[in-house]
Amino acid sequence: VESAGDYYLVVEDAYYHSTEQYAVTLNPFSAGISSETESNDTIATADVLTSSLTAQIASSSDKDYFAITASSAGTLSVTIDSDADSSYRDYYTASIVNSLGQVLSSKQFGDTETLTASVESAGDYYLVVEDAYYHSTEQYEVVYNFIA
């Protein structure tokens, strides 16, 4: 969607008909970006992560920083889905750090991974994604959730 406005979803039967119920889920992007901006290589230049976005490690020296705001004590949960799709090679290192850069949680992976960190207070935290042992220029999607 390129602009604000009213949008509608139409659901109708096809060749066959069913009276079974179905669910519709809307995952809106709001007040944020849908893909990373460069240069987001430091805490000071971090992109704001409000729900989800798409990013890429452009080179082996690239680091992607995403700012996450916790509204209270709780759990930060970030799922990263890599297009590299490798369960046996670690292409990425993802870390959740505090505003001082201290690591709260970190994992290496090459496929889809969920990273969580418990935070004791409201404040700004950061997701850092960088190369692991291997390098991939494939895109990855980040989905963020905060549980108070």
Side-chain angles (χ1 to χ4, degrees):
V1 176
E2 294 182 16
S3 63
D6 294 329
Y7 295 87
Y8 303 91
L9 171 68
V10 176
V11 179
E12 57 188 4
D13 63 349
Y15 184 77
Y16 295 100
H17 176 76
S18 173
T19 59
E20 296 296 316
Q21 290 186 339
Y22 59 89
V24 175
T25 303
L26 174 64
N27 294 316
F29 290 97
S30 62
I33 56 172
S34 60
S35 61
E36 73 168 318
T37 61
E38 290 294 349
S39 158
N40 62 335
D41 296 337
T42 67
I43 285 176
T45 59
D47 288 332
V48 175
L49 180 58
T50 57
S51 59
S52 67
L53 58 77
T54 302
Q56 176 185 35
I57 300 296
S59 70
S60 59
S61 62
D62 187 17
K63 288 185 180 183
D64 293 338
Y65 280 77
F66 304 101
I68 302 168
T69 301
S71 56
S72 66
T75 302
L76 301 173
S77 175
V78 180
T79 299
I80 303 169
D81 184 10
S82 165
D83 286 348
D85 288 332
S86 177
S87 59
Y88 58 93
R89 288 196 176 157
D90 292 334
Y91 287 106
Y92 305 97
T93 299
S95 304
I96 297 175
V97 302
N98 64 17
S99 59
L100 299 174
Q102 298 167 325
V103 176
L104 305 178
S105 181
S106 186
K107 288 186 179 179
Q108 291 186 335
F109 61 97
D111 199 359
T112 300
E113 188 65 60
T114 298
L115 187 64
T116 60
S118 295
V119 296
E120 296 181 6
S121 62
D124 293 328
Y125 298 88
Y126 300 88
L127 171 66
V128 184
V129 181
E130 59 189 308
D131 258 2
Y133 185 77
Y134 295 96
H135 176 72
S136 173
T137 58
E138 295 292 328
Q139 290 189 328
Y140 61 90
E141 181 182 15
V142 178
V143 178
Y144 158 71
N145 190 25
F146 177 71
I147 304 162

